[in-house]
Amino acid sequence: NIDVTVLDANDNAPVFNQSVYKASVMENTMKGTSIITVNATDADSGSNGLISYSLSKMKGSAADIFSIDENTGTISV
C-alpha cells in the first residue's frame, strides 16, 4: 500500500476527488510506466491553492520502485 498524505498550512485543506485510489501493477511492468493519477483541489486562492504531490513514509523497497510527478499527481514505477 502507498498512503498519500495531504499537508496544508492555509485556510482550506486540499481534498482528493476520490477517497480511495486503487491500481494494480504487474511484476514485469517497465520502469517509467504510469500507474495511476491522483487528483486534489484546494479552495485557497492564488499560490496558496497550488497543489504539489509527493510520496513519503514508504515501506520496504517502495521508495525505490514508485515515484510521483509533483505537478500532475501521476504515480509511476
Side-chain angles (χ1 to χ4, degrees):
N1 288 347
I2 298 175
D3 295 325
V4 180
T5 303
V6 178
L7 303 176
D8 185 62
N10 303 307
D11 296 336
N12 301 294
V15 177
F16 282 95
N17 67 349
Q18 291 178 219
S19 59
V20 175
Y21 290 85
K22 292 185 179 186
S24 298
V25 181
M26 299 298 292
E27 192 173 335
N28 62 349
T29 301
M30 290 181 48
K31 187 168 180 67
T33 300
S34 298
I35 304 302
I36 194 168
T37 299
V38 298
N39 183 278
T41 56
D42 189 323
D44 288 328
S45 60
S47 62
N48 290 336
L50 298 177
I51 302 287
S52 178
Y53 301 93
S54 64
L55 300 174
S56 64
K57 298 183 182 177
M58 290 192 288
K59 297 177 182 174
S61 62
D64 297 328
I65 298 171
F66 296 99
S67 63
I68 190 166
D69 183 293
E70 67 176 17
N71 297 309
T72 66
T74 300
I75 297 174
S76 304
V77 293

